[in-house]
Each structure stands twice: as C-alpha cells, then as structure tokens.
C-alpha cells in the first residue's frame, strides 16, 4: 500500500473512531507497527495529528465537507429516512449545514414542501426539483464546508418561519448539551432554532457522547432526537428526562 493511501486511512480512522493505538492501526492497515509509527511521525510533522503514548489522536476541529460526507453513510441514511417520514406534504422545513442534513434532502425529492437552508449541498441537491419551493439563505460562503454564515444568514432567519428545523451537531454531551466545533456556525444554528416550531436533532452514534468547543443549545430546546439504537444510553436518558422524544432507528 502506498504511503499516501496509508496516511488517508489513518486520518479517517482517527476522525471516525477517536484515538487509536499503533497496534490497532497496524492490524487495520495490515502493515508493521514500525511502518505505522513512521507514518504517525510524518503526519504529526505535517500538523495533521498528535502522537500520544502508544498511538495518536486528531485534535478536535473543522473537517471539510467532502471528508465528513464519507463517514457512516448508511447510519446517516437510516436517520434521514426516519426524519423524512415525520414531515407532511405542504410543510416548511429548515435544514442545517452538514452531511446528515444533506442525506435528509435526498429523501425529500418529489414532495410538495418548502425547504429553507444555508447548506449549499442541499441547495444543489434540490435545485432542479420543481415540486420543492427552495429558499437559499444569504451569507458569507464557507467554501470547504459548503455553508453560508454570518449576520446576513441570521437576519434572513429572523424573517422566516418553518414547521420543522433539522439540526446537525459535532457532538452531544452526556447531559444533553448540543455542541459544535465550528464557532462561526453556532449563531446560525441558534437562529434556526428560534425560527422553527419543532426542532429535531439528527445525530448518529458517533456523536454520543460528544465534544465541542461551543454550546449550541440545551436539551430543553429540542423536541426530538433521531439517532441510532446504539447511541449512548446515559445521554439518551438525560434527553428523556428533559422531555425530548428520542427516536431510535
């Protein structure tokens, strides 16, 4: 296996599964532990990970949309299908940035809906579907993350209303706090929450229990969480206590 390919697989493993030991990476890649150690040294020199005793970790931060889109696709599709079933024809839907919202958009083709979004990939997915009334929020373009942000986006949201808001997240803390690693996105997410009647969090098992640098909202601001059956029981219990309906797929 070429070194470049190994590096891609190492980074993907750390991003999707968290810290990993040299032995585990060696087994996954079917190469020697010495080769993995050399790869980790190189990736650390490039600032792409941090070596720790016995392995490596990626420090929390932004990931380009294209990379995240490849992670846990089947899980996101199951969550998206269940979320789509909650929406009735004729309703308005506000879709957040992120890859799970994009998977949800793919489930909405051919339906008589109004879709509002700051997610450029959602816009591209639905732009040619004439059954859908599509509203693209204004704002500053974040090219790598395929989103619109800033005061223009927030101002647009203050003038709109939606029956449903579907949010993504970087992680959900054990107490039910919804977090995000991208600080500039947080005000937009908060404005979306205010603009909707029902707020639904879409979160696969990899988001439980989660981390993040910025708090988006508490569990009391959510109505529903759609997630995997394998999600963290303690976090789901905290959501239940806050009156949030936890829908497991």
């Amino acid at each position: 296996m070429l070194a470049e390919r190994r590096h891609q697989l190492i980074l993907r493993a750390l991003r999707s599964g968290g810290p990993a030991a040299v032995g585990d990476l060696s087994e996954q890649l079917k190469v020697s532990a010495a080769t993995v150690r050399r790869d980790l040294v190189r990736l650390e020199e490039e600032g792409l990970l941090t070596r720790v005793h016995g392995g490596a970790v990626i420090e929390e931060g932004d990931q380009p949309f294209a990379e995240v889109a490849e992670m846990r696709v089947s899980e996101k599709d199951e969550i998206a299908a269940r979320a789509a079933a909650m929406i009735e024809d004729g309703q308005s839907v506000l879709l957040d940035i992120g890859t799970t919202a994009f998977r949800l958009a793919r489930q909405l083709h051919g339906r008589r809906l109004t879709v509002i979004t700051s997610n450029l990939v959602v816009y591209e997915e639905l732009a040619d579907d004439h059954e859908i009334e599509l509203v693209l929020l204004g704002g500053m373009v974040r090219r790598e993350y395929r989103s619109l942000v800033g005061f223009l986006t927030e101002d647009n949201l203050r003038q709109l209303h939606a029956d449903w808001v579907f949010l993504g997240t970087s992680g959900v803390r054990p107490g039910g706090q919804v977090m995000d690693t991208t600080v500039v996105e947080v005000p937009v997410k908060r404005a979306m929450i205010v603009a909707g009647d029902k707020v639904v969090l879409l979160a696969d098992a990899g988001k439980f229990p989660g981390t993040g640098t910025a708090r988006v909202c508490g569990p009391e601001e959510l109505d529903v969480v759609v997630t995997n059956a394998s999600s963290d029981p303690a976090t789901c219990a905290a959501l239940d206590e806050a009156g949030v309906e936890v829908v497991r797929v």
Side-chain angles (χ1 to χ4, degrees):
M1 185 186 298
L2 294 174
E4 183 178 351
R5 179 59 177 162
R6 289 199 311 273
H7 295 172
Q8 291 174 350
L9 293 175
I10 288 170
L11 293 172
R12 184 178 300 175
L14 294 174
R15 285 170 178 150
S16 61
V22 168
D24 292 337
L25 293 170
S26 173
E27 184 176 343
Q28 289 178 40
L29 300 175
K30 295 181 172 52
V31 297
S32 69
T35 297
V36 171
R37 291 191 187 95
R38 287 194 297 271
D39 288 339
L40 296 181
V41 169
R42 177 64 181 273
L43 290 167
E44 185 176 51
E45 289 173 350
E46 294 175 1
L48 297 174
L49 55 74
T50 300
R51 285 188 299 152
V52 296
H53 180 69
V57 63
I58 288 183
E59 298 297 332
E60 193 172 306
D62 292 348
Q63 290 175 251
F65 185 96
E67 291 185 12
V68 183
E70 297 178 4
M71 299 177 185
R72 300 187 289 274
V73 173
S74 61
E75 296 178 24
K76 292 173 184 176
D77 279 340
E78 289 179 353
I79 290 169
R82 182 63 184 84
M86 300 166 64
I87 305 166
E88 297 179 5
D89 285 353
Q91 291 188 318
S92 52
V93 179
L94 183 50
L95 295 185
D96 192 10
I97 67 153
T99 57
T100 309
F102 163 59
R103 307 307 298 189
L104 173 54
R106 300 188 73 178
Q107 301 277 341
L108 302 181
H109 278 294
R111 297 188 57 183
R112 188 172 55 84
L113 299 169
T114 298
V115 175
I116 308 162
T117 191
S118 59
N119 188 327
L120 292 173
V121 184
V122 167
Y123 167 77
E124 291 164 2
E125 177 69 25
L126 299 177
D128 294 328
D129 191 324
H130 296 289
E131 290 296 316
I132 291 176
E133 190 77 23
L134 187 56
V135 179
L136 181 64
L137 299 168
M140 182 176 69
V141 177
R142 301 184 75 231
R143 288 180 176 84
E144 278 197 71
Y145 308 104
R146 311 305 304 278
S147 64
L148 293 157
V149 297
F151 75 93
L152 290 173
T153 318
E154 296 162 47
D155 282 350
N156 283 179
L157 285 163
R158 281 191 279 270
Q159 300 174 61
L160 295 169
H161 170 270
D163 296 304
W164 294 95
V165 175
F166 291 94
L167 290 178
T169 180
S170 297
V172 184
R173 292 196 186 278
Q177 305 295 318
V178 179
M179 308 300 293
D180 205 283
T181 57
T182 311
V183 175
V184 71
E185 301 282 3
V186 171
V188 175
K189 290 177 182 285
R190 290 176 178 169
M192 287 183 172
I193 291 170
V194 174
D197 282 343
K198 292 278 190 179
V199 179
V200 182
L201 184 70
L202 308 176
D204 61 62
K207 307 296 176 66
F208 291 84
T211 59
T213 55
R215 178 184 180 275
V216 175
C217 69
E220 68 280 356
E221 294 175 81
L222 302 175
D223 295 292
V224 184
V225 173
V226 184
T227 186
N228 306 51
S230 59
S231 296
D232 180 64
T235 310
C236 288
L239 293 168
D240 284 331
E241 289 175 11
V244 181
E245 180 186 359
V246 179
V247 177
R248 296 173 175 84
V249 298

